[in-house]
Amino acid sequence: MWRSPGGAPRLRCLTNFGQLTIEASYIRVIKLTIDSGATAWVLVSTAMVMLMTPGVGLFYGGLVRSKTVVSMIGLSFLALALASVQWVLFGYSLSFGTDIGGFVGGLDFLGLRGVGMDAAPLAGSIPHVLYMAFQLVFAAVTLAILTSAVAERVKISSFVVFGLLWTTLVYDPLAHWVWGGGWAASLGALDFAGGTVVHISSGFSALALALVIGKRIGFGSYVLEPHNIPMAMIGAGLLWFGWFGFNGGSALAADGLAANAFVVTNISAAAGALAWMAASWLKGKPSALGMVSGGIAGLVAITPAAGYVDSLSAIAIGGVAGVLCYRALLFRVGRELDESLDAWAVHGVGGLWGAIATGIFATAAVNQYTGLLYGNVDQFIAQVIAAGASVIYAFGMTYILAKLVDAFMGLRVSEDEEYVGLDVAQLGEKAYA
Amino acid sequence: MMKIEAIIRPERLEQVKKALEESGFVAMTISDVLGRGEQKGIKLQYRGGVLDVDMLPKLKLEIFVRDEAVEQVMKIICDAGRTGKYGDGRIFVIPVAMSGKVRTGEVEK
């Protein structure tokens, strides 16, 4: 059975007229009762994923200069607030409403109409409204990750407009493709907890956004040093913690699959941390910031795979992610791209690797799917197609949206404001007296 | 012996340090300072009003050199620290009566 969030259980049969897909929910209507264990776990998971958004803020906030740390953390909270309201009004509906051409959801859940406290086909054995909330915090953290690209130079008003457009026109369709019954789900592509929807989308969008907004003043000519590495490490700690809800909760049940997702999440993060640390050690020092960045890379990479792979595969997935994302960061710096806090290198590249790795390491011992390692080439190809399409859509659409907002409102603050710092210039506040 | 006290932009430090090093001036003391020059900081448009940011972060470099090297060092700092905009900073030269090394007790006039 289909187990990823949003993907309603499906039966597939081949008929003389082609492939017929039947929503299994229509067959199992009788079984739609609320399970208290599952509901309790997803409630907790939702709260844990919510904490990841300030986690992103603190991680990013530690990496910028002291004159922009308030704005950096503030942008994450802003992402949470914006995505929450948008999600309730129409975002959830665009993602999970009745399928329109495999591309986007219909408007049936507009303003949460019909999203009640009972179980629903989409939500399995938890209340529909809880399923909606669980998906909401994913939308929020994805927008927060994107703020990497505009660090220390974005106009807050433009970010409000851009953020709303982005979450509506990039995030919502992508969530629909994969979880809402769109074309990627029909193709059979697997994405357990959001490697494609959350990480590929935010990572490659960040790259496009960084290209449009341009480098920070002084980038390349002098060092823009992280002002507070302990703060970044607190953020990374919150992310690691929240990720258990992110991946474990995506089982939408309190069962063995949730436990497997929970365990492989930790293992992949650990392998990523060690791999990145080793890679930077070979070039000089075993950086602590590098170690936690590697942990995040491992978490990103295991996200799509968490419900399909075993613990030993998780070591491989996380380990490769640590080295790969570190190389991506060096490449980014070498090309003098100011995608400032490496959402592309860590989330984009890590997410891409995770999506492909799912097609390699998936094993029937965990779930019913198998990957390349067990001779299933089709799964691998489906992963590559879905990931590739997401990269192209996220990058292309974000580039267009960023250009539009830039043309109408200007994405960037003035040179003087950037020099003084966004905290004082945009918010009228200072982090440190 | 003279003390050269230079207020420079923090973002030009790397260039200034490198240029001084290349000419053999390695020793220096650096501190973070806040201050303003003749332009009285930066005025920003803020929600219809004007926001004054009058104290801007700068760096203070202190370098002790022999009298005959003063002009050379001043030129190096100006060339490496210049952006051409307001706020590039200022250099002061102050006579020093004496200096001594703590490690050896050696005194220089």
Side-chain angles (χ1 to χ4, degrees):
Chain A
M1 192 190 302
W2 195 257
R3 289 307 296 265
S4 61
R10 281 158 191 286
L11 279 182
R12 230 182 255 146
C13 358
L14 285 171
T15 68
N16 291 338
F17 313 104
Q19 187 173 281
L20 175 70
T21 306
I22 302 169
E23 297 275 335
S25 48
Y26 297 123
I27 302 161
R28 297 173 53 241
V29 169
I30 310 155
K31 291 192 76 182
L32 284 179
T33 48
I34 287 180
D35 180 281
S36 64
T39 304
W41 169 231
V42 178
L43 278 166
V44 172
S45 292
T46 304
M48 287 168 76
V49 178
M50 175 269 149
L51 197 56
M52 290 170 72
T53 301
V56 169
L58 288 167
F59 182 69
Y60 286 172
L63 299 181
V64 296
R65 289 165 290 174
S66 56
K67 63 184 182 180
T68 46
V69 56
V70 179
S71 98
M72 207 63 237
I73 301 174
L75 281 175
S76 277
F77 277 95
L78 181 56
L80 176 59
L82 279 175
S84 294
V85 174
Q86 183 269 3
W87 195 249
V88 164
L89 293 179
F90 51 87
Y92 178 66
S93 198
L94 291 178
S95 304
F96 293 95
T98 311
D99 180 52
I100 300 174
F103 181 75
V104 73
L107 298 176
D108 17 354
F109 297 135
L110 212 58
L112 298 192
R113 194 178 50 195
V115 181
M117 288 179 277
D118 298 325
L122 216 49
S125 55
I126 63 169
H128 193 181
V129 70
L130 172 58
Y131 180 73
M132 182 284 300
F134 185 61
Q135 295 295 345
L136 182 158
V137 286
F138 279 65
V141 74
T142 309
L143 185 55
I145 293 168
L146 192 53
T147 59
S148 155
V150 295
E152 307 198 278
R153 56 203 186 280
V154 73
K155 216 157 78 177
I156 308 280
S157 55
S158 304
F159 182 78
V160 170
V161 174
F162 174 81
L164 279 174
L165 287 172
W166 188 86
T167 198
T168 305
L169 296 172
V170 179
Y171 184 83
D172 294 350
L174 280 171
H176 182 77
W177 293 4
V178 178
W179 295 329
W183 69 265
S186 309
L187 185 71
L190 301 174
D191 184 359
F192 190 70
T196 309
V197 181
V198 175
H199 299 293
I200 291 182
S201 77
S202 59
F204 281 87
S205 294
L207 189 61
L209 186 52
L211 288 173
V212 175
I213 198 170
K215 296 172 195 179
R216 286 170 289 178
I217 296 170
F219 178 82
S221 69
Y222 58 92
V223 192
L224 305 169
E225 276 183 333
H227 91 285
N228 191 335
I229 288 175
M231 179 187 283
M233 292 173 87
I234 292 171
L238 290 177
L239 284 171
W240 195 320
F241 171 77
W243 229 291
F244 292 123
F246 199 93
N247 290 354
S250 288
L252 296 177
D255 60 4
L257 189 63
N260 184 78
F262 196 107
V263 170
V264 296
T265 298
N266 191 59
I267 294 170
S268 181
L274 292 174
W276 187 311
M277 187 178 82
S280 81
W281 208 334
L282 289 174
K283 294 202 80 167
K285 290 244 165 64
S287 138
L289 184 60
M291 183 176 62
V292 299
S293 302
I296 295 172
L299 291 163
V300 167
I302 200 65
T303 297
Y308 309 109
V309 303
D310 60 21
S311 298
L312 288 179
S313 302
I315 294 182
I317 291 173
V320 171
V323 176
L324 199 64
C325 295
Y326 177 62
R327 303 301 304 182
L329 180 148
L330 294 181
F331 171 81
R332 192 272 295 171
V333 173
R335 296 293 299 269
E336 298 198 339
L337 273 167
D338 193 13
E339 200 285 278
S340 316
L341 311 172
D342 289 301
W344 173 74
V346 173
H347 296 271
V349 174
L352 192 56
W353 158 241
I356 293 165
T358 308
I360 298 174
F361 293 102
T363 168
V366 173
N367 213 325
Q368 56 170 341
Y369 304 95
T370 53
L372 203 56
L373 217 55
Y374 304 91
N376 186 357
V377 183
D378 292 349
Q379 189 62 56
F380 182 76
I381 292 170
Q383 295 304 112
V384 172
I385 293 173
S390 306
V391 166
I392 293 164
Y393 182 77
F395 185 91
M397 196 67 185
T398 305
Y399 195 86
I400 294 166
L401 291 178
K403 278 283 185 198
L404 273 177
V405 174
D406 198 33
F408 283 100
M409 307 178 67
L411 274 170
R412 262 188 112 112
V413 296
S414 71
E415 208 178 318
D416 276 351
E417 284 180 295
E418 191 177 336
Y419 185 72
V420 170
L422 297 187
D423 289 1
V424 166
Q426 288 272 297
L427 302 168
E429 289 164 314
K430 264 169 136 177
Y432 311 102
Chain B
M1 173 171 273
M2 293 285 184
K3 170 171 144 175
I4 296 180
E5 209 175 279
I7 310 289
I8 62 165
R9 289 179 183 274
E11 63 267 29
R12 301 303 294 182
L13 174 66
E14 287 308 312
Q15 286 90 331
V16 171
K17 238 168 37 181
K18 199 166 154 233
L20 285 169
E21 245 172 56
E22 276 165 8
S23 305
F25 301 97
V26 180
M28 64 180 77
T29 305
I30 296 170
S31 37
D32 283 311
V33 291
L34 283 177
R36 64 181 179 190
E38 286 155 26
Q39 273 64 45
K40 288 200 283 187
I42 290 179
K43 281 187 192 355
L44 299 170
Q45 289 301 315
Y46 183 69
R47 307 237 165 100
V50 176
L51 179 72
D52 251 328
V53 184
D54 63 345
M55 291 299 171
L56 292 170
K58 300 284 170 194
L59 286 181
K60 186 168 80 173
L61 247 64
E62 289 163 277
I63 308 167
F64 296 85
V65 295
R66 291 207 168 74
D67 294 4
E68 57 271 21
V70 165
E71 282 183 19
Q72 188 196 353
V73 170
M74 283 179 75
K75 187 173 181 317
I76 292 172
I77 295 175
C78 284
D79 289 347
R82 185 180 298 122
T83 68
K85 290 181 205 130
Y86 292 125
D88 276 353
R90 206 168 175 90
I91 302 174
F92 307 95
V93 182
I94 304 144
V96 175
M98 232 193 233
S99 84
K101 268 189 190 164
V102 176
R103 178 172 54 89
T104 56
E106 178 190 345
V107 174
E108 234 179 291
K109 288 200 180 185

mmCIF file of all heavy atoms in Angstrom, chain A residues 38-40 71 106 110 134-135 142 208 228 231 235 257 266 274 279 291 315 362 381 385 412 414 431:
data_model
loop_
_atom_site.group_PDB
_atom_site.id
_atom_site.type_symbol
_atom_site.label_atom_id
_atom_site.label_comp_id
_atom_site.label_asym_id
_atom_site.label_seq_id
_atom_site.Cartn_x
_atom_site.Cartn_y
_atom_site.Cartn_z
ATOM 1 N N ALA A 38 -1.987 6.671 16.658
ATOM 2 C CA ALA A 38 -1.523 7.400 15.486
ATOM 3 C C ALA A 38 -1.771 8.895 15.657
ATOM 4 O O ALA A 38 -0.913 9.729 15.360
ATOM 5 C CB ALA A 38 -2.238 6.885 14.234
ATOM 6 N N THR A 39 -2.952 9.226 16.169
ATOM 7 C CA THR A 39 -3.304 10.637 16.342
ATOM 8 C C THR A 39 -2.355 11.311 17.337
ATOM 9 O O THR A 39 -1.853 12.412 17.081
ATOM 10 C CB THR A 39 -4.761 10.762 16.840
ATOM 11 O OG1 THR A 39 -5.600 10.081 15.901
ATOM 12 C CG2 THR A 39 -5.191 12.209 16.943
ATOM 13 N N ALA A 40 -2.077 10.626 18.443
ATOM 14 C CA ALA A 40 -1.173 11.196 19.445
ATOM 15 C C ALA A 40 0.206 11.455 18.844
ATOM 16 O O ALA A 40 0.803 12.516 19.027
ATOM 17 C CB ALA A 40 -1.062 10.250 20.644
ATOM 18 N N SER A 71 16.912 39.960 11.697
ATOM 19 C CA SER A 71 16.133 39.817 10.471
ATOM 20 C C SER A 71 16.176 38.381 9.965
ATOM 21 O O SER A 71 15.191 37.854 9.458
ATOM 22 C CB SER A 71 16.636 40.792 9.405
ATOM 23 O OG SER A 71 17.503 40.160 8.507
ATOM 24 N N GLY A 106 -7.752 20.947 -6.597
ATOM 25 C CA GLY A 106 -8.886 21.848 -6.820
ATOM 26 C C GLY A 106 -9.179 22.671 -5.579
ATOM 27 O O GLY A 106 -8.437 22.639 -4.605
ATOM 28 N N LEU A 110 -11.127 24.893 0.165
ATOM 29 C CA LEU A 110 -10.924 26.329 0.352
ATOM 30 C C LEU A 110 -11.377 26.748 1.745
ATOM 31 O O LEU A 110 -12.495 26.438 2.162
ATOM 32 C CB LEU A 110 -11.755 27.069 -0.703
ATOM 33 C CG LEU A 110 -11.228 28.393 -1.227
ATOM 34 C CD1 LEU A 110 -9.852 28.234 -1.842
ATOM 35 C CD2 LEU A 110 -12.189 28.967 -2.255
ATOM 36 N N PHE A 134 -0.343 18.902 10.029
ATOM 37 C CA PHE A 134 0.952 18.248 9.834
ATOM 38 C C PHE A 134 1.563 18.717 8.510
ATOM 39 O O PHE A 134 2.747 19.041 8.434
ATOM 40 C CB PHE A 134 0.757 16.725 9.843
ATOM 41 C CG PHE A 134 2.043 15.935 9.762
ATOM 42 C CD1 PHE A 134 3.017 16.040 10.741
ATOM 43 C CD2 PHE A 134 2.279 15.070 8.697
ATOM 44 C CE1 PHE A 134 4.192 15.305 10.667
ATOM 45 C CE2 PHE A 134 3.455 14.324 8.617
ATOM 46 C CZ PHE A 134 4.414 14.448 9.611
ATOM 47 N N GLN A 135 0.745 18.787 7.481
ATOM 48 C CA GLN A 135 1.239 19.264 6.184
ATOM 49 C C GLN A 135 1.582 20.749 6.226
ATOM 50 O O GLN A 135 2.490 21.201 5.532
ATOM 51 C CB GLN A 135 0.200 18.996 5.092
ATOM 52 C CG GLN A 135 -0.062 17.516 4.830
ATOM 53 C CD GLN A 135 1.160 16.817 4.267
ATOM 54 O OE1 GLN A 135 2.107 17.449 3.807
ATOM 55 N NE2 GLN A 135 1.156 15.497 4.301
ATOM 56 N N THR A 142 9.683 24.804 4.667
ATOM 57 C CA THR A 142 10.240 24.877 3.311
ATOM 58 C C THR A 142 10.491 26.322 2.914
ATOM 59 O O THR A 142 11.551 26.666 2.373
ATOM 60 C CB THR A 142 9.281 24.210 2.313
ATOM 61 O OG1 THR A 142 8.940 22.915 2.800
ATOM 62 C CG2 THR A 142 9.927 24.068 0.956
ATOM 63 N N ALA A 208 17.987 29.815 -7.715
ATOM 64 C CA ALA A 208 17.394 30.761 -8.669
ATOM 65 C C ALA A 208 17.229 32.136 -8.029
ATOM 66 O O ALA A 208 17.563 33.164 -8.628
ATOM 67 C CB ALA A 208 16.040 30.231 -9.144
ATOM 68 N N ASN A 228 28.087 33.867 15.113
ATOM 69 C CA ASN A 228 27.821 33.121 16.338
ATOM 70 C C ASN A 228 27.610 31.637 16.027
ATOM 71 O O ASN A 228 26.481 31.191 15.769
ATOM 72 C CB ASN A 228 26.590 33.723 17.040
ATOM 73 C CG ASN A 228 26.400 33.180 18.434
ATOM 74 O OD1 ASN A 228 26.843 32.074 18.747
ATOM 75 N ND2 ASN A 228 25.723 33.931 19.277
ATOM 76 N N MET A 231 25.136 29.606 18.181
ATOM 77 C CA MET A 231 23.738 29.819 17.815
ATOM 78 C C MET A 231 23.356 28.907 16.639
ATOM 79 O O MET A 231 22.287 28.291 16.627
ATOM 80 C CB MET A 231 23.509 31.289 17.432
ATOM 81 C CG MET A 231 22.081 31.602 17.007
ATOM 82 S SD MET A 231 21.897 33.286 16.377
ATOM 83 C CE MET A 231 21.888 34.211 17.901
ATOM 84 N N GLY A 235 20.526 25.852 16.504
ATOM 85 C CA GLY A 235 19.567 25.687 15.408
ATOM 86 C C GLY A 235 19.640 24.299 14.807
ATOM 87 O O GLY A 235 18.618 23.648 14.563
ATOM 88 N N LEU A 257 6.813 1.078 11.014
ATOM 89 C CA LEU A 257 7.336 1.911 9.940
ATOM 90 C C LEU A 257 7.801 3.270 10.488
ATOM 91 O O LEU A 257 8.855 3.780 10.104
ATOM 92 C CB LEU A 257 6.261 2.105 8.860
ATOM 93 C CG LEU A 257 6.733 2.774 7.580
ATOM 94 C CD1 LEU A 257 7.779 1.923 6.878
ATOM 95 C CD2 LEU A 257 5.554 3.039 6.649
ATOM 96 N N ASN A 266 18.166 9.163 12.419
ATOM 97 C CA ASN A 266 19.310 9.445 13.281
ATOM 98 C C ASN A 266 20.608 8.899 12.691
ATOM 99 O O ASN A 266 21.653 9.569 12.717
ATOM 100 C CB ASN A 266 19.075 8.843 14.665
ATOM 101 C CG ASN A 266 20.099 9.334 15.659
ATOM 102 O OD1 ASN A 266 20.201 10.528 15.884
ATOM 103 N ND2 ASN A 266 20.880 8.422 16.200
ATOM 104 N N LEU A 274 29.766 12.801 10.392
ATOM 105 C CA LEU A 274 31.132 12.260 10.376
ATOM 106 C C LEU A 274 31.785 12.455 9.019
ATOM 107 O O LEU A 274 32.970 12.794 8.917
ATOM 108 C CB LEU A 274 31.102 10.768 10.747
ATOM 109 C CG LEU A 274 30.710 10.461 12.203
ATOM 110 C CD1 LEU A 274 30.576 8.951 12.404
ATOM 111 C CD2 LEU A 274 31.732 11.045 13.170
ATOM 112 N N ALA A 279 35.751 15.101 5.638
ATOM 113 C CA ALA A 279 36.095 15.776 4.379
ATOM 114 C C ALA A 279 36.748 17.126 4.656
ATOM 115 O O ALA A 279 37.702 17.516 3.978
ATOM 116 C CB ALA A 279 34.847 15.950 3.516
ATOM 117 N N MET A 291 30.590 19.841 10.824
ATOM 118 C CA MET A 291 30.001 18.605 11.356
ATOM 119 C C MET A 291 28.477 18.720 11.428
ATOM 120 O O MET A 291 27.771 17.829 10.960
ATOM 121 C CB MET A 291 30.580 18.313 12.736
ATOM 122 C CG MET A 291 30.096 17.022 13.334
ATOM 123 S SD MET A 291 30.903 16.698 14.908
ATOM 124 C CE MET A 291 30.381 18.071 15.884
ATOM 125 N N ILE A 315 23.366 4.505 6.584
ATOM 126 C CA ILE A 315 24.761 4.931 6.772
ATOM 127 C C ILE A 315 25.343 5.377 5.430
ATOM 128 O O ILE A 315 26.001 6.413 5.324
ATOM 129 C CB ILE A 315 25.615 3.797 7.371
ATOM 130 C CG1 ILE A 315 25.132 3.482 8.798
ATOM 131 C CG2 ILE A 315 27.106 4.177 7.384
ATOM 132 C CD1 ILE A 315 25.934 2.405 9.493
ATOM 133 N N ALA A 362 15.907 1.231 -1.698
ATOM 134 C CA ALA A 362 14.603 0.775 -1.186
ATOM 135 C C ALA A 362 14.592 -0.750 -1.098
ATOM 136 O O ALA A 362 15.029 -1.446 -2.011
ATOM 137 C CB ALA A 362 13.482 1.267 -2.099
ATOM 138 N N ILE A 381 14.272 4.785 -12.212
ATOM 139 C CA ILE A 381 13.931 5.739 -13.283
ATOM 140 C C ILE A 381 12.825 6.686 -12.838
ATOM 141 O O ILE A 381 12.884 7.900 -13.075
ATOM 142 C CB ILE A 381 13.537 4.974 -14.567
ATOM 143 C CG1 ILE A 381 14.776 4.258 -15.127
ATOM 144 C CG2 ILE A 381 12.948 5.910 -15.619
ATOM 145 C CD1 ILE A 381 14.483 3.289 -16.238
ATOM 146 N N ILE A 385 13.095 10.781 -12.766
ATOM 147 C CA ILE A 385 12.158 11.643 -13.503
ATOM 148 C C ILE A 385 11.491 12.642 -12.563
ATOM 149 O O ILE A 385 11.459 13.849 -12.835
ATOM 150 C CB ILE A 385 11.074 10.796 -14.219
ATOM 151 C CG1 ILE A 385 11.716 9.968 -15.342
ATOM 152 C CG2 ILE A 385 9.971 11.692 -14.781
ATOM 153 C CD1 ILE A 385 10.776 8.977 -15.988
ATOM 154 N N ARG A 412 15.735 43.910 -3.251
ATOM 155 C CA ARG A 412 16.859 44.291 -2.385
ATOM 156 C C ARG A 412 16.652 45.614 -1.694
ATOM 157 O O ARG A 412 15.968 46.498 -2.220
ATOM 158 C CB ARG A 412 18.097 44.470 -3.279
ATOM 159 C CG ARG A 412 19.019 43.330 -3.337
ATOM 160 C CD ARG A 412 20.245 43.779 -4.105
ATOM 161 N NE ARG A 412 21.362 43.825 -3.205
ATOM 162 C CZ ARG A 412 22.396 42.980 -3.303
ATOM 163 N NH1 ARG A 412 22.433 42.098 -4.259
ATOM 164 N NH2 ARG A 412 23.378 43.052 -2.438
ATOM 165 N N SER A 414 18.406 49.232 -0.237
ATOM 166 C CA SER A 414 19.409 50.126 -0.824
ATOM 167 C C SER A 414 20.790 49.778 -0.258
ATOM 168 O O SER A 414 20.905 49.080 0.751
ATOM 169 C CB SER A 414 19.061 51.581 -0.499
ATOM 170 O OG SER A 414 19.288 51.797 0.880
ATOM 171 N N ALA A 431 20.249 43.229 17.630
ATOM 172 C CA ALA A 431 20.365 41.971 18.358
ATOM 173 C C ALA A 431 21.093 42.174 19.679
ATOM 174 O O ALA A 431 20.704 41.654 20.703
ATOM 175 C CB ALA A 431 21.095 40.943 17.513
#
